[in-house]
Amino acid sequence: MQNIPFSATAVLLVVTTAVSLIALYAAPRLLEQCAFRPYAVWRGQQRDSLYLAGFVHANLLHLAVNMWCLWIFGTVLERRIGGTWFIVLYLLALVASHLPTLFKERDNPQYASVGASGAISAVVFAYIVYFPTSELYLLFVPIPIQAWIFGILYLIYSAYAGRDRNTRINHDAHFWGAVTGLLFVLVLDPGAWARLL
């Protein structure tokens, strides 16, 4: 597959930041229009929210953390797999990370979520397969931990946090985005998994 001649990470970061800021501060209706609502999607409405929800965020902190992770992990991963495959992974994960929630919340008309967290998780976990012993720092904790340990802790946290349905952040998408990233590398580059194991 021919590679794209620009930084996919930078484009995604700029577009997501711009759309999110517009939705948060200039056009709140946009936030509501893009929010992922399984109840509506299940009934044939707002199907495009499966991916549009990834371009708006619940608040400035939610946006900042996601875009920081996209920049830190995305730039390195994109150099490793190429911009075209990076975009495929990102867009695939935007949709795939929402599918379990689509089934779980299909009868809940109150449920809505926003954010790129599922796609970001896919990027982070694809990165972990390639760079398992790189040292990461958790926010506000100045102690480095290896990427594979971070991955395990993150999956545990996401599974636990997924039980809280009262926020607009879809923690189940974190978990399933991570799984998408792991499976994507398995299909794209089985040798990376062989080296990891």
Side-chain angles (χ1 to χ4, degrees):
M1 183 178 291
Q2 188 174 2
N3 206 12
I4 56 174
F6 54 84
S7 169
T9 303
V11 170
L12 288 167
L13 193 150
V14 169
V15 169
T16 304
T17 300
V19 173
S20 292
L21 291 176
I22 290 168
L24 285 171
Y25 298 108
R29 190 169 172 220
L30 181 61
L31 187 68
E32 295 305 314
Q33 290 172 334
C34 292
F36 171 56
R37 290 185 171 81
Y39 184 86
V41 174
W42 193 261
R43 287 154 181 80
Q45 305 162 3
Q46 295 180 285
R47 289 181 177 160
D48 54 358
S49 69
L50 278 165
Y51 59 88
L52 288 179
F55 292 94
V56 293
H57 286 77
N59 53 52
L60 198 55
L61 178 62
H62 186 207
L63 172 64
V65 170
N66 271 347
M67 294 304 96
W68 179 76
C69 289
L70 175 59
W71 183 253
I72 296 298
F73 297 101
T75 52
V76 177
L77 181 64
E78 182 180 353
R79 281 195 299 267
R80 183 63 182 248
I81 66 174
T84 303
W85 283 119
F86 184 83
I87 289 176
V88 171
L89 168 62
Y90 195 90
L91 296 178
L92 175 68
L94 273 180
V95 175
S97 64
H98 281 126
L99 294 180
T101 305
L102 176 62
F103 288 92
K104 180 179 177 182
E105 301 293 344
R106 66 186 182 273
D107 295 321
N108 181 0
Q110 305 305 316
Y111 182 90
S113 67
V114 294
S117 301
I120 303 299
S121 291
V123 169
V124 171
F125 276 76
Y127 170 95
I128 289 172
V129 175
Y130 284 109
F131 309 101
T133 58
S134 64
E135 292 189 334
L136 308 178
Y137 291 84
L138 300 177
L139 289 176
F140 312 115
V141 181
I143 302 169
I145 61 172
Q146 290 193 342
W148 70 272
I149 297 172
F150 166 82
I152 292 171
L153 295 175
Y154 183 83
L155 287 176
I156 292 169
Y157 165 75
S158 295
Y160 174 78
R163 298 186 295 179
D164 181 6
R165 299 179 181 182
N166 296 319
T167 70
R168 285 199 158 206
I169 298 171
N170 184 351
H171 292 284
D172 287 340
H174 294 180
F175 184 90
W176 293 107
V179 170
T180 301
L182 295 173
L183 292 176
F184 185 85
V185 177
L186 182 62
V187 172
L188 179 67
D189 186 4
W193 268 97
R195 291 188 295 273
L196 173 66
L197 299 174

